[in-house]
Each structure stands twice: as structure tokens, then as C-alpha cells.
Amino acid sequence: MVTASYVVLAAGPHVWAVLGAFVGGLVIVCALLWAVGMGIGVMRREPDRPDAAEQPRLPVTGAVEEISEMREPDEVECEDGKRILPHELHAAGTRRSDDQHRHRWAPGGSGSFGSGGPGAH
């Protein structure tokens, strides 16, 4: 009889731990269901996807060609001692270079550091 009371007392804390884990899992499942419901609601409020007639088309002249050009940095020096203001700068930090010849590596130069070559002369 004394052994039975010890079993009941020993099982008591474990029951609360199992019940706590179950309630915690139930809270997490409810939170996930709520998040999925919110996501479905957001998707329903979004505008419909465009159909095939509304998709972008190529121009009549065909695809736009790629332009390859040499660029150089846009200098920000002031000539008359006056500061250059932000609205006076160009949209890009570079401009088209006057020299459109592509620079190549010097003969005998490896082009990378630590490749074992003699380097530029």
C-alpha cells in the first residue's frame, strides 16, 4: 500500500509536464493555422494575375540590342571653388569614355595576384 502511494506521487509531476507540452503544442498549432489563414486572406486581396493578352510583347522592331561601352568615373571636382550640389550630379557615377578602346593586359603580365607569373614589366 505504501508503494502504491509512492507511484501516485511520482506520476503527479510527469502528468503536469505532459499536459503542459500538449497545451504548448496546441498553442503553436493554433498560431500556425492563424498565420495560414492570414496568408490566404492577403492572397485574396491581391489583384488578379494578368492573362495572356496583358503580357508584355516584343516591339515591332525586335529585341533591344546590348550596348557595350567603356565607362570612366564622373569627376566631382569644383573648378571655381564652389561646391557641387547633389542635384548637379549625374544619375550614374560614370560617363562614356572618349577612348572606347578596350584595355588589355600588358604582355607578360599574369593578370592576377599570386599566380606565379613574373608580373607586369
Side-chain angles (χ1 to χ4, degrees):
M1 190 118 119
V2 175
T3 307
S5 63
Y6 287 134
V7 170
V8 170
L9 289 175
H14 296 294
V15 170
W16 288 111
V18 170
L19 185 64
F22 179 75
V23 169
L26 196 60
V27 168
I28 291 173
V29 166
C30 290
L32 289 173
L33 288 173
W34 176 79
V36 168
M38 283 283 292
I40 290 172
V42 167
M43 285 178 59
R44 285 185 180 158
R45 287 191 299 268
E46 288 179 352
D48 292 335
R49 294 185 179 117
D51 59 357
E54 296 173 338
Q55 294 294 330
R57 305 258 182 232
L58 278 175
V60 178
T61 57
V64 179
E65 293 182 20
E66 180 181 335
I67 297 175
S68 178
E69 63 183 7
M70 300 301 294
R71 308 282 296 173
E72 62 184 19
D74 211 2
E75 300 298 331
V76 192
E77 298 175 4
C78 53
E79 298 168 1
D80 57 355
K82 189 176 117 184
R83 272 187 356 177
I84 296 178
L85 300 175
H87 69 274
E88 296 172 336
L89 294 174
H90 296 102
T94 61
R95 65 174 184 268
R96 188 174 195 275
S97 176
D98 294 332
D99 179 22
Q100 288 297 309
H101 180 263
R102 186 173 172 201
H103 300 287
R104 301 287 182 181
W105 293 108
S110 65
S112 66
F113 177 74
S115 64
H121 297 280

